[in-house]
Amino acid sequence: MSHHYSMVAKHVNNIQAEDKIFAANREAVNAAAMYGKEQVINATVGAILDDEEKLAVMPTVMEVLRNIPDTEYAAYAPIAGTPDFLEAAVSAAFKDSRPEGFIKAVATPGGSGALRHTIWNYSDIGDTILTSDWFWGPYKTLAEENLRKLGVFSYFDKDKKFNLASFKEKSSELLARQDSLVILLNSPAHNPTGFALTGEEWLQLLEVLKHQAADGTKKITLLCDIAYIDYAGPSGRDFMKHLSNLPENLLIVVAYSVSKSLTMYGLRTGAAIGLSANKDVVQEFYDVCQASNRGTWSNGTRCGMKLLSTIMHDSEILLQVEAERKELEQLLVERAAVFTEEAKQIGLDTCPYKAGFFVTIPAIQPGDACDRLKKDNIFAVPLTRGIRFAICSVPAVKLSGVPQKIKNAIG
Ligand SMILES: Cc1ncc(COP(=O)(O)O)c(C=O)c1O
């Protein structure tokens, strides 16, 4: 008889079975092999598949990548990232909505790296990091891996608007017992719901934070996770202008990533971008993030950096990339319309979707509902209080009838 013998150190708390999303995907892939692809709806994957259900890539991005010289693949990048990449990442993140203030970026392996460095450098060990109650699961893993906890506020009020009261209550509660607070806010095109704060809601949120920062005793860091911003329509960056002229103890970090923006998920390229009205705060941000790079994964993927800087420094290439991305965004818009219109017609409640890769349906027993959906060969991801349906990976023609089946499965 074997018993479970554990070798890991005492602080290791994240032993878990297979990632839920990858597990659900595996089942969908098996079902497709058994019954044929056309019989199966695989709404588990957080990547855009085209209408032939192949991973979508942008031809111009591929061409630029393939033309990168050998040495730009093989060489190390500077620990902080190549200077032309850092400039390109800031331009790509803010476009023409660049806030006033001092800005410095450090290259990270995707937005995940920016999340990690922010948690590590701007909260104390044991602190609770705050995010919305609907959140991307790895936020919790990232907090716990770094010996922090994750706490949540209610993202939506009863009218499906931003729940300012809950945000205020939870952030105040944490600030009463912590010297610092890191907040992870994913908007626009939020994963998993598709939600975005309006301009007015951003102003209200920032007012709360300014008020909490006012006596100067607390340090607050707001991480703006913009992983999906390039699929949120032309107003996606409107909130950025509100990030100017904040107090020095309210730091903004923008987590920028090419994973979705260039559909280059595996290239592991992104940046942590610090923004503050205080120059020293931003220099310090750069210094600690650079040191954290050295102390974790060392330097980043050089060809990924070269890819973004080449695109951003050539206006013709950039226009082409933006046109190709627009086509992908259009796929999402069409698919979301099919799904949400049918949901509305049949009275299936969804979280407030505005844009993005996923629609989420609240459910009391999401695991059971997802199991029932599997009998219809529909594969989605059970969350704690709902079902995440990845419209990004399902062609529009396969979507009609799906909301009804979800409604039946929820019971
Ligand atoms: C909400 C959110 N933030 C950040 C990321 C980071 O991804 P990456 O590290 O590939 O940039 C993802 C990826 O799925 C995400 O969904």
Side-chain angles (χ1 to χ4, degrees):
M1 276 264 291
S2 72
H3 67 288
H4 179 74
Y5 179 73
S6 174
M7 274 294 291
V8 303
K10 290 194 243 349
H11 69 272
V12 176
N13 54 16
N14 60 3
I15 302 172
Q16 53 183 305
E18 191 180 7
D19 180 281
K20 261 196 244 166
I21 299 174
F22 287 98
N25 178 49
R26 193 172 36 77
E27 285 186 73
V29 170
N30 289 344
M34 200 138 57
Y35 306 112
K37 190 170 95 166
E38 32 325 301
Q39 304 301 321
V40 173
I41 291 179
N42 181 355
T44 65
V45 184
I48 303 176
L49 303 192
D50 62 20
D51 282 342
E52 274 71 56
E53 297 180 65
K54 290 210 225 22
L55 187 68
V57 290
M58 297 181 225
T60 303
V61 173
M62 283 313 304
E63 196 187 318
V64 173
L65 186 61
R66 291 212 169 96
N67 285 320
I68 288 173
D70 293 353
T71 52
E72 292 283 342
Y73 279 91
Y76 283 126
I79 300 286
T82 56
D84 57 349
F85 166 72
L86 297 176
E87 198 192 311
V90 170
S91 303
F94 295 121
K95 291 198 171 161
D96 50 10
S97 305
R98 190 178 169 131
E100 286 167 41
F102 296 97
I103 292 175
K104 259 182 158 332
V106 170
T108 54
S112 301
L115 287 157
R116 187 268 165 203
H117 284 355
T118 304
I119 291 168
W120 182 254
N121 290 301
Y122 291 93
S123 66
D124 291 312
I125 291 175
D127 270 3
T128 297
I129 308 296
L130 184 62
T131 193
S132 49
D133 52 352
W134 298 99
F135 63 87
W136 183 48
Y139 281 2
K140 189 161 188 284
T141 316
L142 279 155
E144 291 175 356
E145 173 78 10
N146 291 293
L147 309 179
R148 274 73 166 172
K149 301 180 198 77
L150 190 70
V152 298
F153 65 93
S154 301
Y155 213 176
F156 315 127
D157 64 15
K158 60 178 184 358
D159 301 318
K160 297 190 176 181
K161 301 273 191 301
F162 176 62
N163 194 334
L164 183 71
S166 177
F167 176 76
K168 190 171 174 178
E169 184 193 329
K170 295 294 176 189
S171 53
S172 303
E173 204 177 290
L174 290 172
L175 280 164
R177 57 183 164 91
Q178 296 179 182
D179 295 332
S180 53
L181 179 62
V182 168
I183 301 158
L184 311 177
L185 193 73
N186 179 210
S187 175
H190 172 248
N191 175 7
T193 66
F195 182 70
L197 277 75
T198 63
E200 184 58 28
E201 287 166 341
W202 267 103
L203 282 173
Q204 291 168 343
L205 173 145
L206 289 168
E207 272 316 304
V208 167
L209 294 179
K210 278 195 241 178
H211 186 74
Q212 288 167 337
D215 73 2
T217 60
K218 303 291 179 179
K219 293 171 181 165
I220 305 175
T221 302
L222 176 62
L223 182 137
C224 304
D225 183 347
I226 60 164
Y228 298 89
I229 197 162
D230 285 323
Y231 300 88
S235 62
R237 285 174 172 79
D238 286 356
F239 75 94
M240 289 174 168
K241 60 178 178 285
H242 303 312
L243 303 176
S244 306
N245 304 315
L246 297 172
E248 66 183 3
N249 57 334
L250 173 50
L251 170 68
I252 300 293
V253 179
V254 174
Y256 172 75
S257 171
V258 310
S259 294
K260 282 84 186 174
S261 290
L262 300 182
T263 66
M264 277 291 151
Y265 317 89
L267 202 55
R268 310 312 304 139
T269 300
I273 304 173
L275 161 69
S276 172
N278 181 326
K279 190 175 185 187
D280 297 339
V281 167
V282 163
Q283 183 60 45
E284 182 186 59
F285 171 83
Y286 177 86
D287 293 340
V288 297
C289 287
Q290 174 165 237
S292 283
N293 268 357
R294 189 33 123 183
T296 50
W297 38 75
S298 188
N299 43 41
T301 311
R302 189 171 183 120
C303 68
M305 298 183 201
K306 187 70 184 171
L307 173 67
L308 187 75
S309 63
T310 307
I311 292 168
M312 294 304 293
H313 288 119
D314 184 319
S315 53
E316 218 167 288
I317 295 178
L318 180 60
L319 274 177
Q320 253 170 273
V321 169
E322 285 182 339
E324 288 166 15
R325 185 162 54 210
K326 193 91 210 138
E327 282 179 33
L328 299 182
E329 187 181 354
Q330 202 46 42
L331 280 183
L332 297 178
V333 170
E334 275 167 36
R335 293 171 186 179
V338 173
F339 192 102
T340 56
E341 276 161 28
E342 182 179 328
K344 210 165 167 186
Q345 265 166 26
I346 63 161
L348 175 71
D349 185 35
T350 66
C351 290
Y353 177 93
K354 294 181 192 172
F357 282 35
F358 311 101
V359 174
T360 286
I361 303 96
I364 314 247
Q365 289 178 314
D368 292 349
C370 284
D371 284 343
R372 281 193 281 273
L373 281 170
K374 285 176 200 166
K375 301 204 175 94
D376 284 328
N377 275 330
I378 296 173
F379 297 81
V381 176
L383 309 171
T384 316
R385 295 190 298 131
I387 299 168
R388 188 185 83 166
F389 189 92
I391 52 165
C392 58
S393 54
V394 183
V397 289
K398 276 188 166 183
L399 285 173
S400 53
V402 168
Q404 183 63 56
K405 286 184 177 149
I406 293 179
K407 193 174 179 204
N408 299 345
I410 289 174

